[in-house]
Amino acid sequence: MKKITVFAPNVRHGGGRILLLQILNELQNKNYIQNAYVSSNLKDELSGFKGIRFNNSNLFSRALAELRLYFNNYKNNKILFFGNMPPAIKLKSHCILYLHNSLLLSKKNVYSFSIKTKIRLAFERLYLRIFIKNVDEIYVQTPKMLKELKNYNENLNIKLKPFLDNQKTNGSIPNTDQSKYNFIYPSYGYSYKNHKLLIKAWVELSKDGFFPSLLITIDKKNDKKLYEYISIAIRNHNLNIDVYSNVNYKDMQDLYNISDTLIWPSLTESFGMPIIEAFNAGLSIIASRLEYIDDLLDDVYLFNPYNAEDIAKNVIICLSDIQAKRAKNPKLKFSIPQTKDFVESL
């Protein structure tokens, strides 16, 4: 019987957490789990699972987990390193690295991160460069990531392996009469997600007498400064914006169902899971005119993500088209398998 070990002690939140849980659920259902080294933050979701080893979120705990891995690996085993980091020691097992953070392939910090985040990224980039030779295969989610990784090291064995348990539910544009929000932006508050410029675009719209409704989902606790920035802009310019905090993944579908259009101003993405979810929910999409969008979709509205006025201009075009029932209908450029198909391919 197939047995897979999953190593992801550093995956705690965001899209990585969602995809990791989908993998582990599928492995559990098929009784494929050999061992899984995961963050203690996932205890509630993985209660009762076999072979789970919970780890604290620090370097010592990760090093200890990797030592356990070293003393329990066998020639015919497969190990999926899902947390972007390869093993520091070459193992006998067949090792697969699932790389889903494009920031690790950059040589410079071009975004305004905190000092702590900059130090962590610098360490992880160096770690990846030194130890990437210890894996047999690398899986990525998009053609953009595949191209960037080949430029990073042309000798790597790289495969395009996206997956997501999210089915298309509606092939047409949503009924605007039933929608509460013109636009939705479900994302974390990282600087490259470009929330501040999006808010500036909404301020520009307000100056011209346009007040489209926008739903933003962020973590008010972790993104406190961003939340304050948005709140001040709402008060000062009477913006029609609601902010939801800590929305459960299962509840996101309900929010898509009351929204017309996904707006996505992010400056970089490895995958952009909400883009796929919004597409599957039948929403219109307006997004950054960047390569990661071109990788995924045709027939979407595009804007310059570095220019608030251009965002505002294209928001008006999108609104006008939706109201006139002539909105663009996005098309996905490649199929994205379900988790069960991904697991069977391991």
Side-chain angles (χ1 to χ4, degrees), residues 19 22 98 141-142 161-168 271-273 275-277 279-280 295-297 332-339 341-342:
L19 293 176
Q22 290 183 1
Y98 203 91
Q141 297 165 299
T142 63
K161 288 273 194 172
F163 69 91
L164 179 64
D165 283 343
N166 186 269
Q167 292 292 314
K168 188 167 179 61
F271 188 39
M273 196 163 67
I275 300 170
I276 307 301
E277 294 166 355
F279 166 79
N280 285 339
D295 262 359
L296 287 176
L297 297 166
L332 196 62
K333 286 189 173 182
F334 58 91
S335 62
I336 298 176
Q338 297 288 290
T339 308
D341 300 315
F342 172 79

Side-chain angles (χ1 to χ4, degrees), residues 44-55:
D44 290 342
E45 291 91 338
L46 300 177
S47 175
F49 278 47
K50 297 178 181 178
I52 303 294
R53 295 175 178 267
F54 294 105
N55 299 267

Side-chain angles (χ1 to χ4, degrees), residues 131-189:
F131 297 116
I132 199 168
K133 64 181 184 295
N134 290 338
V135 298
D136 300 288
E137 295 179 278
I138 302 173
Y139 293 171
V140 296
Q141 297 165 299
T142 63
K144 172 181 174 287
M145 279 289 288
L146 191 146
K147 183 173 75 173
E148 288 181 359
L149 196 52
K150 283 185 176 179
N151 291 335
Y152 181 85
N153 186 333
E154 63 181 11
N155 297 317
L156 299 172
N157 181 11
I158 312 164
K159 294 181 179 178
L160 186 62
K161 288 273 194 172
F163 69 91
L164 179 64
D165 283 343
N166 186 269
Q167 292 292 314
K168 188 167 179 61
T169 57
N170 184 357
S172 61
I173 301 302
N175 184 346
T176 56
D177 296 333
Q178 298 176 358
S179 298
K180 182 178 179 181
Y181 296 102
N182 299 123
F183 297 92
I184 181 172
Y185 186 30
S187 181
Y188 286 86

Side-chain angles (χ1 to χ4, degrees), residues 4 8 14 26 30 32-33 41 43 46-47 85 94 104 107-108 111 118 149 162 170 174 209 216 268 325 345:
I4 306 291
E26 188 62 30
K30 294 183 178 296
Y32 284 172
I33 296 179
N41 291 24
K43 279 186 177 180
L46 300 177
S47 175
M85 296 287 99
H94 185 88
L104 298 181
K107 294 182 179 179
K108 297 180 180 179
Y111 309 110
K118 287 180 179 179
L149 196 52
N170 184 357
I216 293 175
T268 185
K325 307 295 184 184
S345 74

